[in-house]
Amino acid sequence: TLSIIDTAGNLQLTQEAIEAFVAKNPKLVSRVVFSRAPAPELPAKLKAQQAANRVDIDLCLGGIGVTSDGVEQGLWLPLFPAHAASLPKPEDIYHPAALNMYNTVCQGHGMEVVYTPSGPVLEYAPERVKNPPKTAQELLDWTRQNKNRFLYARPANSGPGWTFMMGIPYVLKDSDPKDPINGWAKTWEYLKELGKNIEYYPGNTSATMKEFGEGARDIVVSTCGWDINPRALGIVPKSAAITTLAGFHWVADAQFMCIPKGVPNDKVAVLLQLISYMLQ
């Protein structure tokens, strides 16, 4: 039995592939137990399990935050070079931009399963928003005139929220978009002003899409994947349109498959086969 935890909404994209592997390999896997958790909670949970020598999570599906936290805190089993023979070479299979993200974030402690140029984009209802904002100032003005009709999820647990927060320094031409502590003076001020017109920050992106689809919000923050998938599922109407703000700069995003340290060797062997299968 494999226990797989998702902290990134990743199963929406990968669950069918995981179940296909299980169906093809009944001698290796009897069943998979899927669970979900907010990304910020997982490192502490894993650390406690590893300290007690009782790791009950076999594979983590996570975004940039939880993956890099795990690398920094030594939570993941290094896959390269130790298990290189069982896995495809990253440089052979990844798009150059995806490879760059893999090398920056994962550093051999897992494999990248999702890559997207991401965003940030604004998704809006054209029947309710006749002239969508084209600049950061226009967005701020629009939210002042239409209180609580704009929404994004908490960046710590939302790809679109994270991408929006990291894209705004480029839009505002802040002093150093890559330094949130010393280079985001305009950004923090802007987000504070914007926040006065936002009712609350949901815990995940799905909630923003649901409220948008139901007509409770008129503009939400989105990304490439989140623009496509809820449309395909019928959560968001096909009439929804997207736009970007002047000064737009792509902020890429990725999701990874990582094996926690402490997983038994027999399970690791099966997980390596699963990971290789996923990357076909």
Side-chain angles (χ1 to χ4, degrees):
T1 299
L2 295 179
S3 168
I4 298 179
I5 194 164
D6 175 18
T7 66
N10 181 272
L11 287 172
Q12 290 192 54
L13 306 174
T14 59
Q15 186 165 340
E16 283 188 33
I18 294 168
E19 288 169 346
F21 174 82
V22 174
K24 286 180 179 179
N25 294 279
K27 291 181 179 176
L28 296 180
V29 188
S30 57
R31 69 188 184 112
V32 176
V33 178
F34 295 110
S35 60
R36 292 168 175 81
E41 293 177 9
L42 186 65
K45 182 177 181 179
L46 268 178
K47 225 170 191 173
Q49 289 186 6
Q50 288 168 344
N53 286 321
R54 295 189 61 174
V55 176
D56 65 11
I57 295 165
D58 301 318
L59 185 70
C60 171
L61 305 172
I64 292 171
V66 74
T67 303
S68 56
D69 285 351
V71 170
E72 200 175 283
Q73 296 176 40
L75 304 180
W76 311 129
L77 186 72
L79 300 187
F80 292 91
H83 299 285
S86 305
L87 295 165
K89 285 183 182 171
E91 54 270 26
D92 290 348
I93 61 167
Y94 292 138
H95 178 283
L99 181 63
N100 183 48
M101 186 69 93
Y102 171 80
N103 288 333
T104 303
V105 177
C106 208
Q107 300 167 24
H109 290 76
M111 289 297 279
E112 189 171 9
V113 69
V114 172
Y115 167 82
T116 171
S118 200
V121 297
L122 299 179
E123 194 156 348
Y124 67 96
E127 60 277 10
R128 300 193 296 276
V129 183
K130 303 299 182 191
N131 296 303
K134 296 181 181 64
T135 67
Q137 187 58 50
E138 284 181 17
L139 175 63
L140 183 57
D141 293 341
W142 187 92
T143 63
R144 284 169 175 158
Q145 292 154 17
N146 301 272
K147 268 198 185 298
N148 300 335
R149 303 300 294 177
F150 171 71
L151 193 65
Y152 66 92
R154 284 193 301 117
N157 204 48
S158 164
W162 172 290
T163 305
F164 178 69
M165 185 177 76
M166 289 173 56
I168 287 294
Y170 292 98
V171 169
L172 296 176
K173 295 184 169 53
D174 223 330
S175 61
D176 186 354
K178 293 188 176 181
D179 185 353
I181 295 168
N182 302 306
W184 282 22
K186 293 179 189 173
T187 300
W188 296 127
E189 188 55 38
Y190 179 82
L191 293 175
K192 187 176 166 186
E193 286 302 309
L194 199 63
K196 292 175 182 175
N197 313 312
I198 296 172
E199 188 173 1
Y200 79 117
Y201 301 94
N204 56 53
T205 313
S206 298
T208 68
M209 294 300 162
K210 187 167 180 286
E211 292 191 31
F212 177 67
E214 290 169 349
R217 314 291 167 182
D218 298 333
I219 302 179
V220 293
V221 168
S222 192
T223 54
C224 293
W226 278 98
D227 175 46
I228 295 166
N229 201 42
R231 251 182 236 268
L233 298 174
I235 296 163
V236 166
K238 287 191 164 52
S239 61
I242 62 160
T243 186
T244 57
L245 299 175
F248 170 83
H249 178 100
W250 284 112
V251 174
D253 200 1
Q255 295 175 351
F256 303 85
M257 304 177 284
C258 299
I259 303 173
K261 285 179 181 173
V263 172
N265 289 336
D266 56 343
K267 283 195 175 186
V268 171
V270 174
L271 288 165
L272 292 171
Q273 290 189 53
L274 169 61
I275 289 170
S276 292
Y277 177 81
M278 298 287 284
L279 293 170
Q280 293 171 25

